[in-house]
Amino acid sequence: MLLLSLVVTLLQLGRGSCGLPFYNGFYYDHVMNDKGNGNGNGEVHFNGVKLVVETPEDAIFTYRGANITLPCRYHYEPTLQTPRKIRIKWSKLREDNTKERDVLVAIGLKHRSFGEFRGRVHLRQRGEQEASLVISDLRLQDYGKYRCEVIDGLEDESGIVELELRGVVFPYQPYHGRYRLNFHEAKKACEEQDAVIASFEQLFKSWEEGLDWCNAGWLLDGTVQYPISVPREPCGGKLAPGIRSYGERHKNLHYFDVFCFSSALKGKVYYLAHPEKLTLEEAKQACQDDGAELAKVGQLYAAWKFFSLDRCDAGWLADGSIRYPIAFPRPNCGPPEPGVRSFGFPDKGKFGVYCYKLN
């Protein structure tokens, strides 16, 4: 049996010099139908030549809707005089460290993009040894870590680029009350409010900026945590300020609130001038009559964060909640800190309305 295995292995290696594609998470002949041999010139060893991939150590910060370049360059030590046929692969690392998601693979000028990145990514190759990735129209889900992988035959080196979106984290609970969401429902709830479930890093950054919330909520990694800036007995005791953690919880059986993350908007949120207060159904119609739609919670938070939206008038939002944004605190407009105030989910009543309109 061992001998048979050895023979099969040798046969596979033999065929590889005549067209068997190099496999590195993706069969590249599906992209190129490359009929070359191994690394382009028949060599399978560098004989002392080292392939080096360079990516930035610091994270790259940007906003939703922007176009961004993730830098990646490579070189050989010592320098080679003859150009090499190389393959480039970009992938996105998952938060839970499971299988990476393919973003783009390329050989020469030909490339293929995948999934939600299809049509939004391409390589920037201004020099012979550049493999930078350009992402257009950034989405909330695009933040995270990306791997730039350069493959030269059997030689394979990579580097990591971290992409961060500037945004705002906000706690969210649905209309039916506190601690009613399992993990999957929490993700969906954020998406319905033009947001995504927040990562621990995003929650931590918001805590550093002063976020203080005593209800525990789901995060992207499946843990349940909450940020405390002002320690107090009902919120984990009078310990030092920090992120309180319940650890990882069962994604189907355990129920909490959720922390959502939103970023810059492609439109604008505004308080609709109307001669009288409105019910929820009347508010929906009023926004439609103005060529807009009822604003979502994530949109209101983003307008408050990035455009300093400030209005001391409570108004309907798309989820049936009543809120209002205060960028400049003043008497009779809630607490002394800036923030988005909430009146919860009234069963009935008439209020103002916040609309959202694309630019």
Side-chain angles (χ1 to χ4, degrees):
M1 190 69 181
L2 178 60
L3 179 59
L4 176 61
S5 176
L6 178 60
V7 170
V8 170
T9 301
L10 290 173
L11 286 173
Q12 288 176 333
L13 289 174
R15 290 208 315 269
S17 63
C18 300
L20 183 69
F22 175 83
Y23 180 75
N24 195 64
F26 179 83
Y27 283 108
Y28 289 93
D29 65 335
H30 291 178
V31 180
M32 301 302 304
N33 194 24
D34 180 26
K35 300 301 182 182
N37 48 9
N39 62 4
N41 59 7
E43 297 178 0
V44 294
H45 298 289
F46 274 126
N47 295 324
V49 177
K50 181 181 179 182
L51 172 62
V52 178
V53 174
E54 298 174 315
T55 53
E57 294 183 1
D58 296 331
I60 296 174
F61 288 86
T62 186
Y63 299 90
R64 172 168 58 177
N67 300 332
I68 192 69
T69 299
L70 305 185
C72 180
R73 299 190 64 86
Y74 64 94
H75 66 273
Y76 297 92
E77 296 177 356
T79 302
L80 297 179
Q81 301 302 320
T82 304
R84 314 271 301 183
K85 181 189 292 186
I86 58 97
R87 302 173 174 91
I88 296 168
K89 176 181 178 180
W90 278 91
S91 55
K92 188 173 187 292
L93 281 62
R94 295 183 185 271
E95 188 82 12
D96 57 5
N97 296 317
T98 56
K99 185 177 178 355
E100 299 175 8
R101 284 186 294 167
D102 290 334
V103 175
L104 176 145
V105 292
I107 302 175
L109 298 178
K110 299 181 180 179
H111 74 272
R112 174 180 288 181
S113 52
F114 300 90
E116 66 269 27
F117 294 98
R118 186 174 289 116
R120 293 195 299 125
V121 294
H122 66 273
L123 288 183
R124 187 182 74 179
Q125 295 176 295
R126 293 180 177 175
E128 290 185 358
Q129 296 180 336
E130 182 176 14
S132 301
L133 181 72
V134 178
I135 308 177
S136 302
D137 190 22
L138 277 169
R139 301 173 182 174
L140 290 175
Q141 297 87 347
D142 290 343
Y143 80 89
K145 294 180 180 180
Y146 291 76
R147 184 187 304 279
C148 172
E149 191 171 5
V150 179
I151 303 124
D152 186 333
L154 299 182
E155 194 73 12
D156 176 352
E157 293 294 339
S158 65
I160 302 296
V161 183
E162 185 172 2
L163 175 63
E164 291 286 353
L165 293 183
R166 299 191 187 278
V168 57
V169 171
F170 60 94
Y172 187 77
Q173 59 182 231
Y175 71 92
H176 43 71
R178 179 174 180 259
Y179 292 178
R180 298 295 183 90
L181 301 169
N182 66 27
F183 177 79
H184 308 289
E185 292 166 342
K187 287 186 68 176
K188 183 180 178 182
C190 289
E191 291 166 1
E192 288 174 348
Q193 300 309 315
D194 194 34
V196 293
I197 189 169
S199 67
F200 173 80
E201 291 77 14
Q202 291 166 341
L203 181 66
F204 186 83
K205 181 174 177 57
S206 294
W207 169 75
E208 289 183 314
E209 295 173 350
L211 181 61
D212 182 278
W213 194 254
C214 200
N215 290 345
W218 288 103
L219 295 177
L220 182 60
D221 61 3
T223 62
V224 174
Q225 313 197 38
Y226 61 101
I228 297 297
S229 298
V230 182
R232 50 205 184 273
E233 285 298 340
C235 303
K238 293 185 178 180
L239 304 174
I243 306 293
R244 312 286 196 245
S245 177
Y246 287 0
E248 192 169 348
R249 295 289 166 159
H250 196 289
K251 293 182 177 180
N252 294 320
L253 301 181
H254 291 156
Y255 291 79
F256 296 92
D257 293 342
V258 62
F259 288 98
C260 302
F261 174 83
S262 189
S263 187
L265 299 170
K266 293 184 176 180
K268 66 175 181 177
V269 174
Y270 61 97
Y271 184 83
L272 180 65
H274 199 274
E276 56 187 24
K277 302 298 184 182
L278 306 168
T279 65
L280 177 58
E281 291 304 316
E282 291 170 341
K284 291 179 182 178
Q285 187 60 53
C287 286
Q288 292 176 9
D289 292 344
D290 200 46
E293 62 184 17
L294 269 176
K296 298 177 180 179
V297 177
Q299 293 167 344
L300 185 67
Y301 268 94
W304 165 76
K305 175 75 172 182
F306 294 107
F307 301 105
S308 297
L309 183 62
D310 183 275
R311 183 86 189 200
C312 197
D313 293 289
W316 290 106
L317 294 181
D319 66 341
S321 65
I322 299 294
R323 305 174 193 254
Y324 64 99
I326 297 296
F328 309 102
R330 52 200 180 275
N332 303 318
C333 293
E337 301 82 20
V340 174
R341 322 299 195 209
S342 175
F343 285 175
F345 297 84
D347 292 330
K348 57 184 178 180
K350 294 192 174 187
F351 300 89
V353 55
Y354 288 94
C355 301
Y356 175 73
K357 182 183 294 186
L358 287 171
N359 291 332

